[in-house]
Amino acid sequence: FVLCTVWPGALSVTRYSIAEEMERGSVVANLAADLGLEPGSLAQREVKLDIFTNKKYLDFNKKTGELYIVEKMDREYICPAKPTNCFVKIDVIIENPLRIFNIELGITDINDNAPHFRRDRVELDVSESATPGERFSLPNAVDPDVGINTIKTYKLSDSEHFTIEIQTGSDGTQYVDLVLTKSLDREEESVHNLILTAVDGGVPVRSGTANIIVKVQDTNDNSPRFDKSTYTINMTENSPIGSLVMKLNATDLDEGENSEIVYAFTLYTSEKTQGVFALNPNTGEITVKGTVDYEDMKFYEMHIEARDKGTHPLQGQCKVVVHVIDMNDNYPDITIQSVKNTVSENIPVGSVIAVVGVSDRDSGDNGKVILSIHQTVPFILNQSLERPLHYQLIVSEPLDRESVPEYEITLVATDNGTPFLSDNQTIVVHLLDINDNAPQFPQSFYKIRVMENNAPMALLSSLTAFDPDLHENQYLVYFIIEKEIANTSMSMLFSINPENGDLYALKTFDYEIEKEFLFHIEARDSGSPPLSSNVTVHIIIVDQNDNAPVIVSPWRAHGSVVEEKIPRSTDKGSLVAKVIALDTDSVHNSRITYQFLQVTDATLFSLDQYNGEIRTMRMFSYRDPRHLRLVVVAKDNGEPALSATVTIKLSTVETAVKAYTDMTEVPLEYDLFSDLNLYLVIGLGSVSFLLLITILVTIVLKCQKPKSSQTAPPSRNSVISERNSTIADSTLVSNDAYWYSLFLAETRKGKLVVRQPVPKGSRYIVSSIPRGTGVTNTSASAASTLQ
């Protein structure tokens, strides 16, 4: 615990007074002198100022002992409650020895704030019926200053209708009332703009203003008025209902509901007149409500009042006189005495549909009536000789429900008045359907393409017919007209949905076996008797590339390797072998191209990609190997492409080889004159003919030469095979070329001789033909055609 001794001097309070306008740095007092301290003694001692306000406004100079202003003081900020006296309390604490001095700094007010209204715009609603002397409270202004610097008085801008009175409350606050000095008239001036000014008592004087807007509220002090007391108009009789007769316009100088006018007939207007004319209570429009008939009444008189909607409504009145002008005002009348509204579409021409009568209440020419039809319909009016005012409506042309299912016949009756009047009436005739239309297909011929290898029960097409009849006459049943192809019924190949005409395939088709079908589909309605029609359907099977090429030359007995021998003296450009492949797909998918897949020496042999001929590109040299291997691939044009390969092993020999005597032939039947190979047969036939002539000429020339004692060396321009050494040097007699020559020779008769048996699983059909039909010894055996 610490015992603190309070110096007697700490209980005394030293007071100073400053004005709030003092600037920064201004000296408030010399504390050293006022507190009895020597200024020099404070320099060595610690001096501390505690100011009990929101922020530091003062500071102390130890050297001089002066208290000075650090920041300008705002009395309204420091003392917001507007007390009469505003003090800043300061404690000066000096150490060694400890001494505490209490100082109160009084701040005097200056007129640095102008009066202001919390609301600078005030709107007052004052009724124009208010009496002079009525008071209306106005908001008072506020001024944060005190004393004479606060609000002193209020002033109001000049006004002949208003003034102000100032009241002072018990706390000294002034209150302002707006006083009405003269009666108001809204119709003369609806808004009064006033300015209220608050003035303080400071020097210089400061003031603030507020806008006072007085809106004059209307009272019902004006009655509606018409611009005339009596209105006279002329109108023709039989004016259409709703026609505007005239529009009344009464005015009321009031506003709001006091100026909203309601129009009405007075009790002086007869009920008959009110039955003919209507008055719109809001717009004042008078319109025709009933029949205006000159023969019934020649003029009408209406008494009308205009009443406003005020609390105590006021009213004005006028009179309207309508003179009626006579006209041909009676319309002809049409009477349907009998009518057939429903008839069959095959009703005979001349049948009576309706009996119609006409009349007119007028007399003379105004009562003469003519009945006519003003449209093109298969009906005419026939006037009765016994009763001129009765007409018969009869059928004039055959009727067709499918073209027009019903007729609206408008009968027009016209009198002979000036101007003429007319009336019309419509007769509706409905036609009943009969089964007079056969079903019709949109096309007379359907060509449907079906890709081979299709899935069974695949939808091919929808063959929908249309029948314009109705109900059971329109219900169609579809079926296939039976037709047999190769002992096969169409119903076993195709199926049609009898309700909607959807055509399905019942089996999977193969283009190589079946290429097209032609049959008829019939659509039959359910009428009595039923009508039907049929349509031709052409099913075209579209080829897929589902057959790979088959290499028929050179033939391989087993596997895909062929061994051949060739003289090393073979000349450049000589035919070594010819690869022939066949494809049973369509023309596009069966187009075959040839290319080397493997070749021992690419500089030695060439392959024609279109005819498959393998020829030498140069002569053999001593560097070339004696055994060569060629792998040829035959690829079709399908997507994706299919292919077959053949391997040819060539052995080069130095001397001629003996004739090939162990050849066997298996004749296979081949239909070279099909559509796909017609051009190939013609071309190959021509080549074979020329080749045959060449061979015959060469044999004749050889036979005429004397036999030499020694065998001549092989010519570099010849190819000698072991099969036949007696054939001329220029003859193509290699293993493959020999059979290729036979192929060309037999082509003229549409035959192809293949020297080896048919490989297992290939698609060839063998059939025998008579002997002796070939051009060589080998072709004299049992020949065949290749399909």
Side-chain angles (χ1 to χ4, degrees):
F1 296 93
V2 177
L3 289 177
C4 296
T5 302
V6 180
W7 294 94
L11 298 178
S12 61
V13 178
T14 303
R15 293 183 176 177
Y16 298 96
S17 178
I18 64 172
E20 61 177 327
E21 75 270 14
M22 292 185 68
E23 299 295 334
R24 296 177 181 177
S26 299
V27 177
V28 175
N30 192 324
L31 291 182
D34 294 341
L35 298 178
L37 302 173
E38 295 181 2
S41 64
L42 295 178
Q44 304 300 326
R45 302 169 67 181
E46 182 177 352
V47 180
K48 183 178 180 182
L49 262 64
D50 285 340
I51 302 177
F52 302 98
T53 57
N54 291 334
K55 59 191 301 187
K56 185 176 182 180
Y57 294 94
L58 302 172
D59 203 353
F60 180 73
N61 190 330
K62 292 182 179 181
K63 295 181 179 180
T64 62
E66 294 176 340
L67 184 68
Y68 63 92
I69 295 176
V70 176
E71 185 174 341
K72 187 176 180 180
M73 296 184 182
D74 185 357
R75 183 184 186 279
E76 288 74 31
Y77 177 78
I78 296 174
C79 302
K82 291 187 63 176
T84 303
N85 298 319
C86 180
F87 295 97
V88 176
K89 295 182 179 181
I90 307 171
D91 284 347
V92 180
I93 303 171
I94 303 175
E95 302 288 346
N96 299 319
L98 176 66
R99 298 187 64 183
I100 300 175
F101 300 94
N102 294 331
I103 299 174
E104 288 184 354
L105 188 63
I107 303 174
T108 59
D109 182 54
I110 62 172
N111 191 21
D112 57 348
N113 292 281
H116 68 276
F117 292 88
R118 292 186 176 91
R119 294 168 53 198
D120 59 357
R121 177 184 174 89
V122 179
E123 294 184 0
L124 297 176
D125 293 332
V126 180
S127 174
E128 65 175 330
S129 61
T131 58
E134 285 196 31
R135 309 169 73 89
F136 308 95
S137 297
L138 297 179
N140 59 315
V142 294
D143 192 331
D145 294 327
V146 295
I148 62 172
N149 295 327
T150 190
I151 296 173
K152 180 179 181 181
T153 186
Y154 292 88
K155 296 179 182 179
L156 183 68
S157 59
D158 294 338
S159 173
E160 61 175 319
H161 294 278
F162 297 96
T163 188
I164 58 172
E165 289 186 3
I166 303 173
Q167 305 289 336
T168 303
S170 59
D171 58 352
T173 303
Q174 293 181 336
Y175 301 95
V176 184
D177 287 338
L178 183 67
V179 182
L180 179 66
T181 59
K182 182 180 178 182
S183 298
L184 301 173
D185 187 356
R186 189 204 62 80
E187 289 73 31
E188 180 180 347
E189 188 174 2
S190 61
V191 178
H192 296 266
N193 294 306
L194 307 175
I195 297 177
L196 178 64
T197 304
V199 182
D200 63 18
V203 178
V205 175
R206 294 179 180 270
S207 63
T209 61
N211 293 324
I212 310 299
I213 300 173
V214 180
K215 296 181 179 179
V216 182
Q217 303 299 307
D218 182 60
T219 59
N220 194 19
D221 55 351
N222 293 279
S223 61
R225 293 183 181 181
F226 292 96
D227 53 357
K228 290 183 181 180
S229 59
T230 302
Y231 298 90
T232 302
I233 61 172
N234 298 323
M235 68 174 300
T236 59
E237 65 172 334
N238 297 321
S239 295
I241 294 177
S243 299
L244 180 64
V245 178
M246 71 170 300
K247 184 178 186 303
L248 297 174
N249 186 25
T251 57
D252 194 319
L253 299 179
D254 294 323
E255 70 173 359
E257 291 187 349
N258 297 330
S259 65
E260 296 178 4
I261 298 175
V262 178
Y263 300 89
F265 289 120
T266 68
L267 297 177
Y268 297 107
T269 304
S270 66
E271 293 184 0
K272 186 173 183 178
T273 300
Q274 295 186 38
V276 176
F277 299 98
L279 175 62
N280 189 310
N282 298 319
T283 64
E285 293 180 345
I286 302 175
T287 56
V288 176
K289 176 182 177 182
T291 302
V292 180
D293 191 355
Y294 176 83
E295 289 75 23
D296 183 29
M297 202 166 187
K298 294 180 174 52
F299 71 91
Y300 297 88
E301 189 173 272
M302 292 170 275
H303 296 269
I304 299 172
E305 69 174 9
R307 185 186 299 267
D308 61 29
K309 294 183 180 180
T311 305
H312 302 286
L314 302 178
Q315 66 178 8
Q317 294 184 351
C318 72
K319 182 172 66 174
V320 178
V321 179
V322 178
H323 293 279
V324 181
I325 301 174
D326 185 34
M327 296 196 61
N328 181 27
D329 57 346
N330 290 290
Y331 287 84
D333 185 34
I334 301 175
T335 303
I336 306 297
Q337 297 181 345
S338 66
V339 64
K340 296 178 181 178
N341 295 111
T342 303
V343 297
S344 178
E345 64 176 320
N346 62 347
I347 185 173
V349 175
S351 300
V352 177
I353 298 297
V355 177
V356 184
V358 294
S359 62
D360 195 316
R361 293 187 303 163
D362 292 330
S363 59
D365 291 339
N366 295 333
K368 295 179 180 180
V369 182
I370 298 175
L371 186 66
S372 60
I373 301 175
H374 289 182
Q375 54 193 136
T376 302
V377 290
F379 302 93
I380 59 173
L381 287 170
N382 186 16
Q383 192 171 10
S384 174
L385 297 177
E386 298 178 356
R387 297 181 178 181
L389 296 181
H390 289 81
Y391 292 82
Q392 289 182 336
L393 181 65
I394 63 176
V395 179
S396 61
E397 300 175 12
L399 305 179
D400 184 11
R401 187 206 63 81
E402 286 71 34
S403 300
V404 182
E406 71 176 21
Y407 291 92
E408 291 186 0
I409 307 168
T410 302
L411 305 178
V412 180
T414 306
D415 65 17
N416 202 29
T418 304
F420 65 85
L421 299 177
S422 63
D423 192 14
N424 62 76
Q425 193 161 346
T426 300
I427 297 177
V428 179
V429 178
H430 300 273
L431 301 185
L432 296 177
D433 182 60
I434 63 172
N435 192 25
D436 57 347
N437 292 278
Q440 296 294 327
F441 287 92
Q443 301 172 217
S444 60
F445 183 85
Y446 286 88
K447 181 181 290 186
I448 303 173
R449 296 182 179 273
V450 180
M451 187 67 68
E452 69 170 328
N453 303 316
N454 60 292
M457 292 307 297
L459 178 64
L460 304 183
S461 180
S462 182
L463 310 178
T464 305
F466 170 74
D467 194 323
D469 293 326
L470 291 179
H471 308 306
E472 67 274 358
N473 298 331
Q474 189 186 38
Y475 299 149
L476 303 182
V477 178
Y478 301 87
F479 55 90
I480 298 175
I481 299 178
E482 286 300 331
K483 177 183 178 182
E484 288 191 358
I485 299 178
N487 297 325
T488 302
S489 172
M490 284 295 105
S491 298
M492 298 177 64
L493 302 177
F494 302 97
S495 173
I496 190 167
N497 189 318
E499 295 182 356
N500 57 24
D502 288 346
L503 183 64
Y504 298 88
L506 296 181
K507 59 166 289 186
T508 299
F509 296 110
D510 187 351
Y511 172 83
E512 287 70 34
I513 299 176
E514 304 151 317
K515 292 182 173 53
E516 62 181 3
F517 300 94
L518 194 68
F519 55 92
H520 299 282
I521 299 292
E522 181 173 307
R524 181 181 299 167
D525 63 26
S526 302
S528 180
L531 299 178
S532 63
S533 64
N534 59 67
V535 66
T536 302
V537 179
H538 185 195
I539 303 294
I540 300 174
I541 308 302
V542 180
D543 180 56
Q544 281 187 329
N545 191 28
D546 55 351
N547 291 281
V550 176
I551 297 177
V552 298
S553 177
W555 187 254
R556 292 88 69 204
H558 301 286
S560 59
V561 179
V562 177
E563 295 183 358
E564 300 289 350
K565 293 181 180 181
I566 184 172
R568 294 185 66 85
S569 60
T570 300
D571 199 0
K572 174 183 177 182
S574 298
L575 179 64
V576 176
K578 181 176 179 65
V579 180
I580 301 175
L582 299 178
D583 194 319
T584 57
D585 288 322
S586 65
V587 175
H588 178 77
N589 293 327
S590 65
R591 294 174 183 170
I592 298 175
T593 58
Y594 304 89
Q595 63 185 29
F596 281 129
L597 189 60
Q598 292 181 9
V599 59
T600 304
D601 189 346
T603 65
L604 186 55
F605 300 102
S606 66
L607 172 62
D608 191 302
Q609 64 173 337
Y610 298 109
N611 60 25
E613 292 181 351
I614 302 175
R615 293 182 181 273
T616 57
M617 298 175 62
R618 61 178 174 81
M619 294 185 64
F620 290 96
S621 68
Y622 68 93
R623 296 187 185 90
D624 294 325
R626 292 189 176 275
H627 299 284
L628 303 170
R629 186 172 182 268
L630 306 178
V631 180
V632 179
V633 59
K635 184 183 298 184
D636 63 21
N637 195 41
E639 183 62 38
L642 302 178
S643 62
T645 60
V646 60
T647 301
I648 302 173
K649 290 185 177 180
L650 292 179
S651 299
T652 59
V653 295
E654 296 295 338
T655 60
V657 296
K658 61 182 179 178
Y660 191 89
T661 60
D662 58 346
M663 293 186 297
T664 60
E665 59 182 50
V666 179
L668 300 179
E669 184 177 358
Y670 178 60
D671 186 6
L672 292 175
F673 293 99
S674 65
D675 294 338
L676 300 179
N677 299 311
L678 179 59
Y679 296 109
L680 178 61
V681 169
I682 295 173
L684 293 178
S686 301
V687 174
S688 65
F689 176 77
L690 295 176
L691 183 61
L692 181 60
I693 296 299
T694 303
I695 293 173
L696 293 176
V697 171
T698 304
I699 293 174
V700 171
L701 293 177
K702 282 292 183 180
C703 291
Q704 292 177 353
K705 291 182 179 181
K707 296 183 180 180
S708 59
S709 59
Q710 295 180 352
T711 304
S715 173
R716 299 179 61 88
N717 296 324
S718 65
V719 179
I720 302 176
S721 172
E722 294 180 353
R723 299 173 190 154
N724 194 347
S725 61
T726 61
I727 300 180
D729 293 344
S730 60
T731 306
L732 303 177
V733 292
S734 70
N735 189 21
D736 293 316
Y738 173 76
W739 289 105
Y740 176 52
S741 65
L742 292 181
F743 170 79
L744 296 180
E746 292 296 319
T747 300
R748 293 186 301 166
K749 296 185 179 182
K751 308 299 178 181
L752 176 65
V753 178
V754 181
R755 70 176 184 274
Q756 295 294 343
V758 179
K760 183 178 180 180
S762 60
R763 297 178 52 147
Y764 295 100
I765 301 174
V766 179
S767 61
S768 299
I769 61 175
R771 293 178 179 270
T773 58
V775 295
T776 65
N777 294 331
T778 56
S779 64
S781 61
S784 65
T785 59
L786 176 64
Q787 289 187 338

